[in-house]
Amino acid sequence: QAVEALPDPHRQALILRFRHGLEPAEIAHLMRAPPATVRSWISAARTRMALMSTRDGAARSPYGSCR
């Protein structure tokens, strides 16, 4: 549900990165955007999803466990 709530380019970049394992440069080529923009979209998507999860009562880092 959280992924579906993301803006379209953020959602697409996140799915391509983490479901399909593409690198930001590959995603940039597919989406016709600069690699830095793709990295920004992915970062923003992870941050928004973390904020959405904290609103649901589950505080999590968008970067996983820091052990």
Side-chain angles (χ1 to χ4, degrees):
Q1 259 181 344
V3 173
E4 294 170 9
L6 295 170
D8 194 47
H10 295 188
R11 182 178 65 253
Q12 288 178 351
L14 194 72
I15 289 170
L16 289 171
R17 179 70 179 118
F18 296 105
R19 279 198 194 153
H20 299 286
L22 298 180
E23 294 296 324
E26 296 170 303
I27 298 167
H29 178 74
L30 289 172
M31 296 182 73
R32 293 182 170 91
T37 299
V38 170
R39 288 189 298 272
S40 176
W41 288 339
I42 293 169
S43 177
R46 292 177 73 163
T47 299
R48 287 181 70 154
M49 288 181 56
L51 291 172
M52 285 185 238
S53 71
T54 57
R55 274 191 265 142
D56 294 336
R60 291 186 203 125
S61 167
Y63 305 104
S65 177
C66 296
R67 291 184 182 183

